Amino acid sequence: MSKFFSAKYAALTPYVPGEQPKDAQYIKLNTNESPFPPPASVAEAAKAEAEKLHLYSDPESALLTEKMAQVLGVERNQVLMTNGSDEALNFAFMAFCDQTHPIVFPDITYGFYSVFAALNGIPYKTVPLKEDFSVDYRDYVGIGQNIVIANPNAPTGMALSVAKIEEIVKSNPQNVVIIDEAYVDFGGESCVSLIKKYDNLLVTQTFSKSRSFAGARLGFSIGNEKLIADLNTVKYSTNPYNVNRMTAAAGYAALCETEWFKNNCAAIQEARTYTAAELKKLGFTVLDSKTNFLFAKSDKISGQKLYKKLKERGVLVRWFNAARIEDFVRITIGRKEQMDVFLCKTAEILEEEK
Ligand code: PMP
């Protein structure tokens, strides 16, 4: 730390992204990326835009926003496009939370929530997941504080129904409820339609997973037009050109690829069902996932050891050194043949442990 670093950040522990090793070729099942590149039309759209890189992007991302609103069945002023959904979440923390408006979220969830809170000086409280790792919606009903819930949750993969989300939103009318739907396209239920009924609901989604855009950085928020106007105030006070030209053009092209999108999500779900069944045959406990990853544990090997041994064999999964989940590993769903390598190496490792 330099002697110049602001005291307000001195105690900040930054978010730790999943490892992106450069030393070797791994089967990467550790950062919930899509194993499939986006369709050709997306790369073409980005390439065409590359010739205009000397010009700023449209701060409104107008064409993309219009198209996104149309796809979602909402109004244009109910959508804000962002640089990944991490930016959408940070804008929401900045806009709606402060010393006197703390935020509540599950104890086991996306690691960035506590970082955004710390970064912005926002007090936060966590609510323990149930014994079976589910979110009990009743813990949040009438809690009277801002809330963020990943639905489906990460790293568990488990989802809540829209009816339960509605109970949370309805019972906290004086607070903003942020529902992070980063993984919703893989079998979860989206609560986007509720934004027309409730002025305190903000939904965030991303192109990173189901549209294969992790490296392009594109996300969005959907909510009542007044919430979106507030987010815009924050955006225009931090980074007006938050979505670059190539990503905006690529995003528009991606939204036109309806069939590709459907097939892509279906392929991941099929590989997930297959992998979960095979892991269960190997004796793993596998949580019920509605995402592009599985959260699984074996009573024959610790999570850390399995992670290490898989890495030695060229397969990367994610292990979290955190209470209650240290026995688990999180496995991103890749292509079927990648999952077969993962399963084969896992079986080999378990055999060695006998
Ligand atoms: N929410 C959750 C629950 C996530 O796991 C992620 C991915 N790390 C994000 C949001 C942010 O993803 P992105 O910024 O790539 O849209």
Side-chain angles (χ1 to χ4, degrees), residues 195-247:
I195 64 126
K196 294 175 186 168
K197 203 163 155 194
Y198 300 100
D199 66 1
N200 62 325
L201 170 64
L202 189 78
V203 185
T204 60
Q205 289 190 15
T206 183
F207 280 49
S208 292
K209 325 286 174 186
S210 54
R211 296 188 188 271
S212 299
F213 261 55
R217 314 303 303 127
L218 188 60
F220 52 104
S221 293
I222 316 104
N224 176 277
E225 48 278 14
K226 288 191 176 157
L227 294 184
I228 296 298
D230 294 340
L231 294 182
N232 266 307
T233 301
V234 171
K235 170 189 134 155
Y236 281 97
S237 307
T238 49
N239 189 12
Y241 309 104
N242 62 334
V243 178
N244 74 71
R245 278 185 168 275
M246 291 198 292
T247 294

Side-chain angles (χ1 to χ4, degrees), residues 101-338:
H101 299 90
I103 191 154
V104 181
F105 46 86
D107 63 341
I108 298 168
T109 191
Y110 184 34
F112 230 137
Y113 302 151
S114 56
V115 179
F116 288 139
L119 176 73
N120 296 302
I122 300 159
Y124 66 90
K125 253 191 358 220
T126 58
V127 177
L129 294 184
K130 296 290 129 192
E131 205 54 45
D132 65 356
F133 295 99
S134 63
V135 171
D136 188 339
Y137 78 100
R138 288 167 299 195
D139 290 339
Y140 300 87
V141 167
I143 199 167
Q145 292 186 337
N146 290 340
I147 297 166
V148 58
I149 293 177
N151 191 41
N153 196 12
T156 64
M158 294 167 72
L160 281 178
S161 66
V162 168
K164 288 176 179 167
I165 296 288
E166 182 165 9
E167 288 305 313
I168 297 172
V169 176
K170 187 167 54 176
S171 65
N172 291 290
Q174 299 308 320
N175 301 95
V176 177
V177 178
I178 305 165
I179 303 297
D180 173 353
E181 294 188 348
Y183 298 101
V184 78
D185 297 324
F186 302 105
E189 277 182 73
S190 174
C191 65
V192 163
S193 60
L194 296 181
I195 64 126
K196 294 175 186 168
K197 203 163 155 194
Y198 300 100
D199 66 1
N200 62 325
L201 170 64
L202 189 78
V203 185
T204 60
Q205 289 190 15
T206 183
F207 280 49
S208 292
K209 325 286 174 186
S210 54
R211 296 188 188 271
S212 299
F213 261 55
R217 314 303 303 127
L218 188 60
F220 52 104
S221 293
I222 316 104
N224 176 277
E225 48 278 14
K226 288 191 176 157
L227 294 184
I228 296 298
D230 294 340
L231 294 182
N232 266 307
T233 301
V234 171
K235 170 189 134 155
Y236 281 97
S237 307
T238 49
N239 189 12
Y241 309 104
N242 62 334
V243 178
N244 74 71
R245 278 185 168 275
M246 291 198 292
T247 294
Y252 187 94
L255 290 177
C256 299
E257 293 276 1
T258 315
E259 271 308 292
W260 182 94
F261 175 63
K262 239 173 55 195
N263 295 337
N264 190 45
C265 296
I268 299 287
Q269 287 176 77
E270 201 178 303
R272 180 182 73 206
T273 306
Y274 166 75
T275 309
E278 294 299 312
L279 279 173
K280 284 178 190 165
K281 284 186 204 161
L282 292 173
F284 276 80
T285 301
V286 185
L287 301 190
D288 179 25
S289 171
K290 296 277 188 267
T291 62
N292 67 339
F293 57 84
L294 290 170
F295 205 46
K297 72 167 177 180
S298 163
D299 53 16
K300 300 193 188 81
I301 188 167
S302 75
Q304 186 177 25
K305 197 163 178 196
L306 179 58
Y307 153 76
K308 279 193 175 151
K309 292 201 159 230
L310 279 168
K311 188 171 177 183
E312 281 162 21
R313 288 166 169 76
V315 180
L316 271 186
V317 297
R318 186 120 191 226
W319 172 70
F320 297 92
N321 186 9
R324 288 181 72 195
I325 55 169
E326 68 270 277
D327 291 340
F328 284 80
V329 289
R330 192 193 68 189
I331 308 132
T332 301
I333 301 301
R335 295 191 306 272
K336 165 88 169 32
E337 59 274 23
Q338 295 177 304

Side-chain angles (χ1 to χ4, degrees), residues 83-100:
N83 190 311
S85 59
D86 280 337
E87 185 180 61
L89 289 163
N90 190 32
F91 284 170
F93 274 65
M94 290 169 79
F96 307 119
C97 306
D98 55 37
Q99 270 294 333
T100 50

